[in-house]
Amino acid sequence: MRITIVGTGYVGLVAAVCLAKQGHQVTAVDREPVIRGLRAGVLGIWEPGLEELFADGRASGNLRWETDVVRASLDAEALMLAVGTPTRPDGHTDLSQLHEVLAKFMHHGDCPPLIIVKSTVPVGTCDELEVSLRETGLRTEIVSNPEFLRQGSAIQDFMYPDRIVVGCQSPYAEAELRHLYARIDAPVQVCDRRSAELIKYAANTFLATKISFANMMSDLCEGYGADIRQVMAGVGSDRRIGPHFLQAGVGYGGSCFSKDLQSLLTSGKLVGLSLPMLEATAHINEQRIPRFIAKLISCWGNLQGKRLAVLGISFKPNTNDVRDAPFLTLLKQCQLHGIAVQAYDPVVQHVPYDGVHVADSAYTASVGADAIMILTEWPQFVSLDWARMAQGMRQPIMLDGRNLLPNKAVERFLEHDAAVYIPVGRSVVSCWGD
Ligand SMILES: NC(=O)c1ccc[n+]([C@@H]2O[C@H](COP(=O)([O-])OP(=O)(O)OC[C@H]3O[C@@H](n4cnc5c(N)ncnc54)[C@H](O)[C@@H]3O)[C@@H](O)[C@H]2O)c1
């Protein structure tokens, strides 16, 4: 199939390289600086397996680049939109990137016969976009085809999804989407467009709610001396519930969960509904970092001249994405309390904010620190020499914001005099015993 994909971010670029790998003729479109980078082989994003598929696509000739979306779509059978849909300050979803693309086709007076909306858009958006196109005489059909990939395993998720959701109006559109995804072995759920749009929001907000539920329970565990890992292992082994997204920690981050939750709350308001469960999910999440800061303050007492070493900047492992990362909330809170931050991340080497020093290793970050906090569960943190980490610190206090460290690593850390290990939803352990 000849397809033009607009937006080469986490979703668009992954879709482009995967569809090219499956034999489709893909033209990817983005703004000038992004395409200049891609032409030079510079990927703005980091995902396992992406570089290899990108090189494959270039070598096979199935993957091309353009900056002019109309020119890129002249003989395309479908146009896929994978541009951003951020939240506006008033809580509504900003659809300006989508509108900007469609305006070019309206002006041109022609458009590919099918537009596939991959971006996450509020319920009713595809209907509204189609009405606008019809008003300018374009007969294009719009399909809602939300994406469920997770950053950090995006290629794997795109190639082997749990399901493909297709919200469409005609057998023609359904047949085209089945053809597009013919080489992906996954159930295809065909439904109306509004339901498809809502499936995406319902899935993301449900996952966010699972995380907030685990975090709420972890606070209760701390109050009663129980162990959240045991509690959630017992809960998650029930097949009706499942073990995923029940890990307590510093809360969810990333470009999607908060944004989609906010967008769904706004959609609710527009029809007079308050969606209180989602309000609670967001509230619990917002309290996570302040709760950790409170723990630090109670350990330190006096905050004068304190330095915090933070391990992990990206919002999750295996990505360089810092959008809405817990790190950014932590940084703001630290600045508010006058706590200096020295951070390390295996992939993120730069953050465009004042008040943080990004170190070149976890060991360097820990030198002179009054506490370490693990924010992202990068697996390489487990195998650090934790005795060495403790040795370099001014005060060997560790907050394991992800319950990442196994007992062996904790024991090594606690070899140091006065060392304290503060996990999530479990009892604090010190070098003097519990
Ligand atoms: N990131 C995820 O894990 C994920 C997962 C599922 C769904 N989504 C949804 O997919 C959409 C895209 O997300 P993302 O994370 O890939 O965003 P992103 O910000 O990484 O990428 C968007 C890209 O679109 C480009 N763009 C914007 N306007 C353009 C225009 N007029 N012409 C050409 N290019 C333009 C931007 O330059 C950028 O490269 C969002 O709606 C998001 O909610 C994201």
Side-chain angles (χ1 to χ4, degrees), residues 33 229 242:
R229 296 171 310 171

Side-chain angles (χ1 to χ4, degrees), residues 239-250:
R239 271 174 292 177
R240 293 168 301 176
I241 298 172
H244 306 292
F245 285 75
L246 289 180
Q247 285 69 39
V250 294

